[in-house]
Amino acid sequence: MDLTVLVDNNCKTGSHLLAEFGLSFLLENEYHKVLFDCGSSDVFIKNAYKMGLDLSHVTEIVLSHGHKDHTGGLMRLQDLYRKMLIAGISLNVKTIMAHPDVFEAKFNDNSENIGFPNSPANLCDIFDIEYSREPKWISPKLLYVGEIPKDYSTDYNYNDETALVYKSSKGLVIITGCAHVGVQNLIEYARKVTGENKIDSFIGGVFLCNKSEYKIRELGNYLKKQNITNFYPCHCCDLNTKLILSEYIKMKEVYSGLTLTFN
């Protein structure tokens, strides 16, 4: 499976790709082309075009949770597909996989709705929405994990967050949007639903921006015990968090355009 970062908060110098406060990955194998999150705007579409990646053949769209920095680009993707249809380009139906609460309003500390900036009723027939709280296999190796239990403490008050897990030959590859529910909860649930203990890679947000040093070091101590080979924190992970976590686990860089391959 190939994983390409279509958009992240960071971009690589000289790449001519764009960055924004948002996240979008493209996962590809022989039979599936899975779009994981859609960023905040159409930046992921522009970057895909610059990288020569064809989004018309996307088979599934997985939304990690309902915040607009992960769902804001969905309507822009719809606009792209409508233009393709007008131009006579044939498109397959794209299945949106998400938690049943994904499109419900999400409020920040200022009582502002930071959820999906539209209504699912406005999504066109090109999308087939499949809601599920339960794990579902997208392919024999790629799993949509469904609702993540909160066995470890977390201050995330919603239940809509999910993630993807890929069973590689070297262990699990955990793919997350923000991990609002907590990295510990996500990792332990991924192990439970797959029956696989070894974690080869973790890529995605860890939601520790502006968190206390105690909370960051608490995660660091947990990660140190997990023997994760490749740790790719991105999006909602600031420099201070990365510096502290680097004392416990080796960090890998993430930026718009990064491509990884997992066997």
Side-chain angles (χ1 to χ4, degrees):
M1 179 189 75
D2 293 330
L3 184 155
T4 302
V5 179
L6 297 183
V7 71
D8 178 48
N9 296 31
N10 300 309
C11 58
K12 191 174 183 179
T13 303
S15 70
H16 304 293
L17 297 176
L18 302 173
E20 69 173 0
F21 184 70
L23 186 73
S24 180
F25 299 152
L26 185 65
L27 286 63
E28 301 174 271
N29 64 16
E30 186 177 356
Y31 303 105
H32 292 269
K33 183 174 283 193
V34 181
L35 183 63
F36 182 74
D37 286 342
C38 300
S40 300
S41 66
D42 63 347
V43 168
F44 78 102
I45 297 173
K46 293 176 179 176
N47 283 347
Y49 177 78
K50 290 179 181 178
M51 289 185 281
L53 298 173
D54 185 359
L55 298 182
S56 68
H57 298 305
V58 164
T59 52
E60 292 88 12
I61 300 166
V62 176
L63 301 178
S64 66
H65 62 297
H67 286 162
K68 63 184 179 182
D69 50 317
H70 298 260
T71 62
L74 183 57
M75 299 305 292
R76 307 301 291 272
L77 183 63
Q78 175 172 275
D79 291 342
L80 173 65
Y81 288 153
R82 280 177 169 162
K83 291 176 182 177
M84 288 180 173
L85 290 171
I86 292 171
I89 299 173
S90 178
L91 297 175
N92 60 300
V93 174
K94 287 83 170 61
T95 300
I96 296 176
M97 301 183 68
H99 188 279
D101 300 342
V102 71
F103 293 123
E104 292 184 359
K106 309 291 187 302
F107 296 98
N108 62 15
D109 294 338
N110 297 320
S111 299
E112 300 168 326
N113 181 16
I114 56 173
F116 180 56
N118 209 294
S119 168
N122 293 327
L123 293 171
C124 67
D125 292 341
I126 197 70
F127 298 113
D128 179 20
I129 305 179
E130 182 177 335
Y131 297 113
S132 180
R133 300 178 189 272
E134 302 301 319
K136 286 184 175 291
W137 289 97
I138 297 174
S139 75
K141 289 187 175 184
L142 185 64
L143 177 69
Y144 161 93
V145 303
E147 185 173 319
I148 302 165
K150 301 174 183 177
D151 296 326
Y152 289 79
S153 63
T154 174
D155 55 4
Y156 190 56
N157 297 320
Y158 301 99
N159 297 316
D160 66 316
E161 187 160 32
T162 187
L164 290 175
V165 179
Y166 181 75
K167 293 186 73 171
S168 79
S169 60
K170 297 180 180 179
L172 299 180
V173 178
I174 297 177
I175 303 157
T176 181
C178 274
H180 288 283
V181 297
V183 172
Q184 297 96 320
N185 285 321
L186 177 51
I187 288 178
E188 296 307 323
Y189 189 57
R191 285 174 166 152
K192 179 180 179 179
V193 296
T194 62
E196 174 73 48
N197 189 60
K198 169 64 177 172
I199 309 295
D200 175 69
S201 301
F202 181 105
I203 181 167
V206 296
F207 195 61
L208 285 172
C209 289
N210 303 316
K211 298 295 183 179
S212 68
E213 183 173 338
Y214 174 82
K215 291 292 293 183
I216 299 170
R217 292 193 180 278
E218 182 180 48
L219 176 60
N221 281 311
Y222 171 82
L223 291 172
K224 188 176 182 179
K225 300 173 185 177
Q226 307 312 308
N227 297 315
I228 299 173
T229 307
N230 303 294
F231 188 66
Y232 297 90
C234 60
H235 182 47
C236 50
C237 183
D238 57 15
L239 178 59
N240 181 59
T241 298
K242 292 179 180 180
L243 290 173
I244 295 174
L245 287 182
S246 67
E247 299 176 23
Y248 301 88
I249 187 171
K250 185 177 181 180
M251 315 288 282
K252 298 290 185 74
E253 188 178 10
V254 181
Y255 46 83
S256 296
L258 174 68
T259 298
L260 304 170
T261 298
F262 303 102
N263 297 318

